[in-house]
């Protein structure tokens, strides 16, 4: 007889761990099946935490934040090695795993190591690393398996100078030059992180534009900064082939050009890690990118007692939203109906510089036909910006022309992912321009940019003769 649990969770990333702990706090028996040797999933071991730790280490050792005062040649450590980066990285990962193991132990969540696959809709076969198998069963099952890098056959990943986005944690040495294929979030994060180390970077992207879900004005600022740092951008052209010649990856483009650097990082997409689940045995299917469809308010799949959450269900594929999805799944499975999360959540891109956004972009506001006005502030306009030596960075705020309600906030620059939460709170509480104008912000702080941008928008609103109307009249809801 299979060992029985109230909830089986396959995967221990953000959505899996939040669901497991939520169910355990409701007094349910929970088993987490994790194929890695340690809990945490891609988020802890190869994705979110490693990339952000690498970024912070690079900014500290390179002296990037001080170059506004001391020039582009300034460095805290002159000769930075891969070992310097990995030392802090592994220490951070060990801490994250220890915290998670402690949370599971404190809440009575059981963990087993192995690869899970469906035998039937309620039964999972777990295969350990040594090949031993056992069966476990659950009243409810959560698929929190995450994603893995898309690895096309024409890219020679077996070569030591070719990496995917999950392999940088084992980077043997720092290259002097780098080709990044794919200008999505992962690609631009790593491209700008290595650029901050003075690595010569070339980015190849088949689309004409990058980061299409971000406000175009912010993307324009970002691209300008990349070009100012001599990051090569090959946009609107696909990759014909990738070969390695004399140890150097040669990326041949479909327009006949080629890009040759010491190392190539392929970041053009990820796919759901569902190939080994045998979904058909449970009555489920995945799309051509391995993603599983769910009902967004409950996280239920087409089989009602089976849930899916996190990156495996697709956009927005954020650790923050994955945590909430896991909680919603566990609550629904055991009869709770928590209120839905607020409408607007922040999106953070941990590039250099950071980008963070919440609410509607200017393009979305226009497409909805909402009369609006914009206010902007440059970080160099704040005293804190002067103190920090910031020559770039901006905040853009969008307000309704009719109600003066906040519709969106978009930030590029130092601290963007922290600053965005002020705008998020006001947006979800349906606040307006008066909040930012009437309230006092700590001085000197970058948060003063909210007041500067709001006053800029106020002047434009006044010039347009805007009059406040009831918030209920706002078309954006």
């Amino acid at each position: 007889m299979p060992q029985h649990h109230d909830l089986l969770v396959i995967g221990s990333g953000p959505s899996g761990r939040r669901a497991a702990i939520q169910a355990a706090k409701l007094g349910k028996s929970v088993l987490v099946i994790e194929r890695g040797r340690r809990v945490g999933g891609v988020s802890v071991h190869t994705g979110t935490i490693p990339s952000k730790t690498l970024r912070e280490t690079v900014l500290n050792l390179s002296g990037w934040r001080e170059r506004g005062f001391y020039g582009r040649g300034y460095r805290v450590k002159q000769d930075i090695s891969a070992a310097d980066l990995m030392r802090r990285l592994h220490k951070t990962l060990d801490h994250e795993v220890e915290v998670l193991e402690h949370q599971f132990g404190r809440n009575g969540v059981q963990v087993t190591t192995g690869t899970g696959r469906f035998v039937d809709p309620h039964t999972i076969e777990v295969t350990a690393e040594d090949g031993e198998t056992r069966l476990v069963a659950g009243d409810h099952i959560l698929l929190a398996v995450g994603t893995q890098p898309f690895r096309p056959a024409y890219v020679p990943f077996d070569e030591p100078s070719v990496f995917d986005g999950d392999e940088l944690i084992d980077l043997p040495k720092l290259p002097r030059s780098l080709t990044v294929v794919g200008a999505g979030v992962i690609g631009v994060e790593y491209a700008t992180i290595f650029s901050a180390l003075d690595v010569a970077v070339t980015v190849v992207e088949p689309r004409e534009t990058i980061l299409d879900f971000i406000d175009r004005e912010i993307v324009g600022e970002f691209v300008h900064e990349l070009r100012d740092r001599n990051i090569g951008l090959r946009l609107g052209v696909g990759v014909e082939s990738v070969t390695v010649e004399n140890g150097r990856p040669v990326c041949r483009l479909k327009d006949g050009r080629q890009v040759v650097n010491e190392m190539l990082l392929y970041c053009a997409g990820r796919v759901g890690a569902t190939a080994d689940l045998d979904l058909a045995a449970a009555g489920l299917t995945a799309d051509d990118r391995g993603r599983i469809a769910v009902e967004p308010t409950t996280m239920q799949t087409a089989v009602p007692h089976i849930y899916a959450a996190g990156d495996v269900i697709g956009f927005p594929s954020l650790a923050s939203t994955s945590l909430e999805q896991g909680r919603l799944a566990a609550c629904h499975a055991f009869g709770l109906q928590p209120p839905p999360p607020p409408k607007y959540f922040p999106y953070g891109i941990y590039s250099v510089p950071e980008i963070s956004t919440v609410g509607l972009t200017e393009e979305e506001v226009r497409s909805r036909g909402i009369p609006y006005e914009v206010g902007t502030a440059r970080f160099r306009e704040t005293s804190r910006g002067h103190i920090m030596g910031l020559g770039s960075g901006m905040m853009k705020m969008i307000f309704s022309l009719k109600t003066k309600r906040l519709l969106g906030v978009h930030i590029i620059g130092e601290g963007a992912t922290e600053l965005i939460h002020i705008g998020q709170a006001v947006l979800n509480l349906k606040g307006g321009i008066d909040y930012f104008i009437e309230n006092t912000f700590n001085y000197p702080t970058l948060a003063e940019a909210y007041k500067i941008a709001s006053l800029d928008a106020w002047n434009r609103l006044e010039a347009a003769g805007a009059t406040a109307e009831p918030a209920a009249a706002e078309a954006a809801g």
Side-chain angles (χ1 to χ4, degrees):
M1 286 288 292
Q3 183 185 20
H4 184 272
H5 295 269
D6 296 316
L7 177 66
L8 299 178
V9 179
I10 305 180
S12 61
S15 59
R17 72 178 185 235
R18 177 61 64 89
I21 292 171
Q22 176 67 72
K25 289 186 179 295
L26 295 173
K28 308 300 178 181
S29 63
V30 182
L31 175 68
V32 173
I33 303 166
E34 171 55 57
R35 67 180 178 182
R37 295 185 179 181
R38 304 185 76 184
V39 294
V42 168
S43 174
V44 167
H45 295 288
T46 61
T48 304
I49 301 301
S51 62
K52 281 56 179 177
T53 304
L54 181 63
R55 178 185 187 275
E56 194 65 24
T57 307
V58 165
L59 293 182
N60 286 339
L61 293 182
S62 70
W64 178 267
R65 292 189 175 101
E66 304 302 320
R67 292 184 184 180
F69 277 119
Y70 303 120
R72 292 190 177 188
Y74 175 77
R75 278 200 174 203
V76 171
K77 190 175 191 296
Q78 287 301 318
D79 298 313
I80 301 172
S81 68
D84 292 324
L85 305 182
M86 297 304 114
R87 190 175 300 113
R88 180 167 180 166
L89 179 60
H90 291 300
K91 184 174 182 179
T92 301
L93 301 195
D94 286 343
H95 174 73
E96 289 288 321
V97 171
E98 289 170 5
V99 169
L100 183 50
E101 289 174 340
H102 177 67
Q103 287 178 333
F104 280 168
R106 189 175 69 238
N107 288 282
V109 174
Q110 297 181 49
V111 180
T112 188
T113 302
T115 301
R117 74 170 186 88
F118 281 102
V119 175
D120 61 49
H122 282 279
T123 309
I124 301 292
E125 180 186 74
V126 182
T127 303
E129 193 173 27
D130 61 4
E132 183 180 349
T133 64
R134 69 184 181 106
L135 297 178
V136 292
D139 292 335
H140 303 277
I141 298 173
L142 173 67
L143 304 179
V145 294
T147 59
Q148 57 197 30
F150 175 57
R151 293 171 63 116
Y154 70 84
V155 180
F157 290 102
D158 56 338
E159 293 283 352
S161 56
V162 179
F163 294 79
D164 66 35
D166 282 1
E167 294 177 324
L168 282 181
I169 187 174
D170 297 317
L171 187 68
K173 66 175 183 177
L174 289 181
R176 295 181 63 184
S177 59
L178 170 69
T179 302
V180 178
V181 179
V185 172
I186 297 172
V188 299
E189 286 184 349
Y190 279 128
T192 57
I193 288 169
F194 278 93
S195 172
L197 284 172
D198 299 319
V199 174
V201 177
T202 303
V203 178
V204 178
E205 169 57 53
R207 295 172 300 174
E208 295 285 352
T209 57
I210 67 172
L211 304 175
D212 289 338
F213 59 96
I214 300 295
D215 187 277
R216 291 293 88 193
E217 186 175 3
I218 297 297
V219 173
E221 290 280 328
F222 184 63
V223 169
H224 174 77
E225 178 141 347
L226 299 190
R227 294 192 186 281
D228 186 56
R229 284 158 54 183
N230 292 320
I231 294 179
L233 297 177
R234 304 287 186 269
L235 304 182
V237 58
V239 177
E240 183 71 40
S241 67
V242 177
T243 58
V244 176
E245 301 174 11
N246 299 318
R248 296 167 69 89
V250 178
C251 182
R252 291 181 173 83
L253 308 183
K254 290 184 178 179
D255 64 1
R257 291 182 295 175
Q258 63 181 30
V259 181
V260 184
N261 285 310
E262 283 189 13
M263 189 176 103
L264 184 140
L265 174 62
Y266 191 90
C267 295
R270 297 182 69 88
V271 296
T274 53
D276 298 329
L277 287 175
D278 197 0
L279 293 174
L284 293 172
T285 59
D287 68 12
D288 59 352
R289 298 303 292 260
R291 294 170 297 198
I292 300 173
V294 297
E295 204 289 316
T297 60
T298 66
M299 301 296 120
Q300 287 175 290
T301 66
V303 180
H305 73 277
I306 301 177
Y307 297 76
D311 289 7
V312 75
I313 69 172
F315 187 85
S317 297
L318 299 170
S320 56
T321 54
S322 296
L323 288 164
E324 285 305 299
Q325 290 165 359
R327 182 183 69 88
L328 286 174
C331 287
H332 185 269
F334 299 111
L336 297 182
Q337 292 185 326
K343 182 177 180 180
Y344 296 108
F345 57 87
Y347 207 111
I349 300 175
Y350 290 82
S351 49
V352 184
E354 291 180 21
I355 299 173
S356 198
T357 179
V358 67
L360 302 179
T361 66
E362 187 170 358
E363 292 72 31
E364 289 172 325
V365 173
R366 285 178 182 171
S367 68
R368 298 186 187 194
I370 303 171
Y372 72 98
E373 194 50 83
V374 171
T376 59
R378 301 281 173 177
F379 284 178
R380 62 175 178 265
E381 296 173 350
T382 68
S383 295
R384 180 69 177 211
H386 281 293
I387 292 169
M388 297 172 69
L390 299 182
S392 63
M394 70 170 287
M395 177 182 293
K396 175 179 180 177
M397 302 178 73
I398 305 173
F399 296 94
S400 164
L401 196 63
K402 292 181 179 179
T403 67
K404 299 183 183 176
R405 278 252 308 268
L406 180 65
L407 300 178
V409 180
H410 312 281
I411 309 174
I412 179 171
E414 184 71 25
T417 56
E418 298 284 355
L419 288 169
I420 199 68
H421 297 111
I422 299 172
Q424 178 194 5
V426 175
L427 187 66
N428 281 319
L429 291 171
K430 301 181 179 179
I433 196 169
D434 290 348
Y435 173 85
F436 301 102
I437 292 175
E438 294 171 0
N439 272 274
T440 302
F441 293 83
N442 275 333
Y443 176 85
T445 61
L446 293 179
E448 286 182 276
Y450 276 105
K451 185 179 285 286
I452 296 170
S454 297
L455 288 168
D456 181 45
W458 177 268
N459 290 335
R460 300 174 192 274
L461 287 166
E462 289 296 294
T467 57
E469 297 178 6
E474 176 54 58

